[in-house]
Every structure is written in structure tokens, then in C-alpha cells.
Amino acid sequence: MQHFYFDHNATSPVAPEVLRDMTDAMAEVYGNASSIHFFGQAAKRRLEAARRAAAARLGCTDREIVFTSGGTEADNLAVFGIARKPTRANRYAITSAIEHPAVLNAFGQLEREGVEVTYLPVGSDGRVQMEDVRRVLRHGTTLISIMHANNETGVLQPITEIAAMTRGANVPFHCDGVQVGGRLPVNMRELGVDLYSISGHKFGGPKGVGALYVRKGIDLAALMHGGHHERDRRAGTENVAGASALGRASSLEFDWSALGELRDRLENGILSRVPGTRVNGNTEFRVPNTSNIRFEGIEGEAMVIALDLRGYAVSSGSACSSGAVEPSHVLLAMGLSAEEARSSLRFSLGPGNTVEQVDGLIDAVEASAAHLRRISPAVLRPAALSDVKA
Ligand code: PLP
């Protein structure tokens, strides 16, 4: 049986040209980029070329790029790098309730370190509201961190509007751009943020390498203590092959915005053929590759397994911790009940998905939903669906 991948927000396959670039770099450029000899200088040149490529993709200068071990480290470097700077008051920071754990749990740690944190709510459409930002932003706020697009719903946040407000208030603004940077065109100057995280494995690069954009003039406390790498912002011998791969992935031609048509075909197909379905989140402000759909009366995990058995990989968005399936904190923040959150699925498209695969997935979703509703106790079935035939 063939298997088809519709889980690109979890991770995306490494593009063949990126893989070649990375293995070439590993084989040929093995010097330590800090060494002054021929081999070190070759590694340094490769690293700096990658930095220029990443900077070009983000519309910033190469000096503003700090390579990290991934999106999680980029997020942590931004949050702690700002909040732990000794010159800062370190008392009050803002984020949203729908952030990825890489940001959310970093803010949890800040709270344990004595920082007061406001977690902004979102509307039922999954967006942070500007009135709320305005209400909670105080003079002297240490940091605000709001993601660009949510990984579960794909909903885009009002980043340029928030940036205009934080600039006026002189508050550092970090944006977790892991689901956008490298995929869709972004420009740091136009976006107006001070810090922006990206992760290689979301856009055709390998896992374990990412970058943080740090606007010129923003001073960061280091998270790692060691050598003077990355202009004292990230100690550790540079991962030249990983960085080179991220740079190569930054210049891939694949047009993620063209996925909107395929995503809409999938979404409309499911909504029209499967009763009791609806889209979670704003459909106007959304990245083009993601669709989060609720299936009334169906356990999301059961659906993931049923679809996997038919050859389609999707995600339920809920996290399995200590054996229990926790409903998604993102969907709960949008006002869904725990049961509604548990009955939601995330479809995320990427390079390689075709019309044929999408049509096959719609068939598989229709068949799986009908099957699961048939075998679930009648009491769990929504009244409107009680006539679904066996
Ligand atoms: N932020 C967001 C929005 C993500 O989706 C992810 C990955 O799933 C991360 C951060 C973490 O990135 P990484 O897996 O590179 O550590």
C-alpha cells in the first residue's frame, strides 16, 4: 500500500537538492569554522553563504541571523535572551494562549523566575485581538511574543499591527515564524518585528537547525555559554552542514502559496461530503497549506488511525501525555469544548501533494468517518447524524 503525507506542519521531507548540499558539506567542508587554516576558512565561507541565503529569504542582513539547533532553541533564545538581560526590569511579559510549547513553556519558566506574564486570549476565529494587545501592553513591558501562523489551525496573527504598537511603546517583539518563514514570502523590515524564529525542517531542510532573526540594535543575553560563536549570541561549534542545508532550503523555488487551491479542494470536498463537519479558525487570515476540521461525534485519534490504515498521514493536534489524550490547548483557547477539540483533525499540505492524493484523501475521510460513526455507541452520535446508514 502506498502512503501519502498530509502532515507538513509537523515536519516536511528534505528536498533532494538540500540533501545533496548537506551531504556535500559534511564530506567536503569538515573544518571548524573558527579555525584560521584553509579547512576552517572553507567551512566559514560555506557558513556565511548560508547566512546570506537565509537573510535574503527573510529580507534582513546576514549579521541579523543567528543559527540555532531549531525552532525551539530560536524561541528560547529570543524569550530568555530578552527577559534575562540584566539591564531589563524583567518583571512583565506578554504572550498568547495559542503559542507552540516552545514559547508557552519558556514563558512558564519566566513566571517561575518571578516575571509576571499575561497570556492573551484569542477569539473563536483563533486570532489575537488588537484591543486586547492595547489593553495589556504597559510602558516598560519586558517582551511580547506572538506567533505568525498557528501550527494547528494555520491562522495568521495580526503581526504588522502588533509591531506598529510595540515599536511605539518601545517594547521588544518576538514572533515565532516557524510555520511561515522559509515557506511564504516574509520581509523583516515590512513585518516590523525585532526577533523572528524559523526552523529548517518545516521548509525542506533537515531537523535540528533553525535560525533567529535579531534586529540590529537588539541586545540578547546568551542562552549557551562557551566560545564567541555567532557574535557571542550562540556558543558552540557551528553546524556548518545543517546551516548550509537551511541556506539551500531558503532558496528553493517551491511555491507554498500555490497550495491554497489544493487545500481548498480538500476542505470543500470534506465539508460537502461528510456531514457534521466544520472548519476551525479564521479562513481569511490563514496560511495556504493548512486546514483544521472538526468531525462531530468522532474521536480525532481514532480518525488518525483509520486514515493511516488507508495510507494517509494526518494529525489530530491533541497531545498524548501520560497515556491520556489531552485536547489541543489552541482549540480550547478558541472556545471549543474538550470534546469538540478532541474531534478535530489537522490536514497540512506540502510539496509532493497532488490532486489525485487529495481526491483519494477525501474518499478515505468520507469512508472512515462513516465507519467510525457506525461503530460508535449511538449515545455519542449527534442527533442530526443518527440517520447515517450502516
Ligand atoms: N514553533 C512552532 C509554531 C512550531 O510549529 C514548531 C515545530 O513544530 C516549533 C516552534 C519548534 O521547532 P523545532 O521542531 O525546530 O524545535
Side-chain angles (χ1 to χ4, degrees):
M1 184 175 68
Q2 264 192 300
H3 288 266
F4 302 107
Y5 193 68
F6 284 83
D7 198 16
H8 290 81
N9 287 8
T11 192
S12 62
V14 176
E17 50 274 65
V18 174
L19 183 60
R20 260 195 310 279
D21 180 283
M22 191 173 180
T23 50
D24 286 354
M26 276 183 169
E28 296 160 11
V29 199
Y30 50 82
N32 184 320
S34 299
S35 302
I36 55 172
H37 50 57
F38 172 85
F39 298 91
Q41 291 310 298
K44 179 83 176 157
R45 274 197 301 279
R46 187 82 169 228
L47 182 68
E48 295 312 317
R51 200 184 306 279
R52 283 193 296 279
R57 192 78 173 106
L58 297 181
C60 62
T61 66
D62 48 356
R63 291 177 161 228
E64 293 172 312
I65 296 289
V66 179
F67 285 118
T68 66
S69 68
T72 299
E73 189 192 325
D75 285 344
N76 274 257
L77 178 58
V79 172
F80 296 114
I82 292 289
R84 286 184 184 156
K85 194 76 196 163
T87 50
R88 297 221 164 76
N90 295 355
R91 300 279 21 124
Y92 178 61
I94 302 167
T95 188
S96 84
I98 58 160
E99 299 296 314
H100 186 274
V103 168
L104 222 39
N105 291 338
F107 271 77
Q109 177 58 27
L110 283 188
E111 279 193 284
R112 286 188 287 280
E113 293 175 13
V115 178
E116 179 192 345
V117 175
T118 291
Y119 295 90
L120 286 171
V122 291
S124 57
D125 67 346
R127 294 194 100 205
V128 165
Q129 331 251 315
M130 286 311 294
E131 313 84 82
D132 287 330
V133 181
R134 204 168 292 120
R135 192 168 44 77
V136 303
L137 197 69
R138 295 186 205 151
H139 180 72
T141 298
T142 310
L143 165 74
I144 178 166
S145 179
I146 304 290
M147 71 200 319
H148 199 171
N150 183 266
N151 43 301
E152 293 184 29
T153 60
V155 171
L156 287 156
Q157 303 302 321
I159 299 303
T160 44
E161 290 91 325
I162 298 173
M165 198 180 286
T166 57
R167 215 173 311 125
N170 201 20
V171 172
F173 178 19
H174 166 247
C175 178
D176 176 348
V178 166
Q179 291 292 338
V180 180
R183 290 181 168 181
L184 302 171
V186 279
N187 182 295
M188 293 302 109
R189 305 284 177 256
E190 287 166 17
L191 215 51
V193 297
D194 297 308
L195 303 125
Y196 192 85
S197 310
I198 62 170
S199 172
H201 73 96
K202 306 292 181 178
F203 58 98
K207 291 153 194 64
V209 63
L212 180 66
Y213 156 75
V214 185
R215 186 175 62 73
K216 184 169 183 269
I218 291 284
D219 211 5
L220 278 190
L223 205 55
M224 307 278 216
H225 300 277
H228 296 290
H229 313 90
E230 300 290 300
R231 297 175 180 276
D232 284 327
R233 293 173 295 188
R234 202 280 184 180
T237 300
E238 296 89 343
N239 172 8
V240 175
S244 181
L246 185 144
R248 185 70 190 86
S250 299
S251 46
L252 288 175
E253 299 280 301
F254 182 78
D255 182 7
W256 284 76
S257 51
L259 287 171
E261 249 175 69
L262 264 191
R263 188 272 314 273
D264 292 346
R265 183 183 180 99
L266 174 65
E267 192 169 275
N268 294 333
I270 292 173
L271 294 180
S272 64
R273 284 179 38 197
V274 185
T277 48
R278 55 185 298 181
V279 175
N280 291 320
N282 193 302
T283 53
E284 184 189 348
F285 298 101
R286 191 169 55 152
V287 288
N289 80 315
T290 308
S291 176
N292 192 304
I293 299 181
R294 186 154 105 221
F295 295 78
E296 244 182 278
I298 297 179
E299 195 66 50
E301 293 291 303
M303 194 72 167
V304 170
I305 294 164
L307 287 173
D308 191 44
L309 292 172
R310 291 172 193 268
Y312 295 91
V314 304
S315 158
S316 71
S318 42
C320 184
S321 62
S322 57
V325 179
E326 299 286 342
S328 145
H329 70 285
V330 175
L331 300 180
L332 293 181
M334 288 161 62
L336 270 68
S337 67
E339 191 192 325
E340 287 170 333
R342 278 202 200 89
S343 66
S344 297
L345 283 191
R346 174 184 73 185
F347 303 88
S348 53
L349 286 72
N353 286 139
T354 62
V355 171
E356 291 71 30
Q357 290 176 14
V358 164
D359 289 347
L361 176 53
I362 298 169
D363 290 342
V365 168
E366 185 181 32
S368 303
H371 174 71
L372 289 171
R373 280 177 173 149
R374 212 159 43 230
I375 62 172
S376 75
V379 67
L380 290 180
R381 245 180 273 155
L385 302 173
S386 54
D387 59 347
V388 173
K389 293 280 181 306

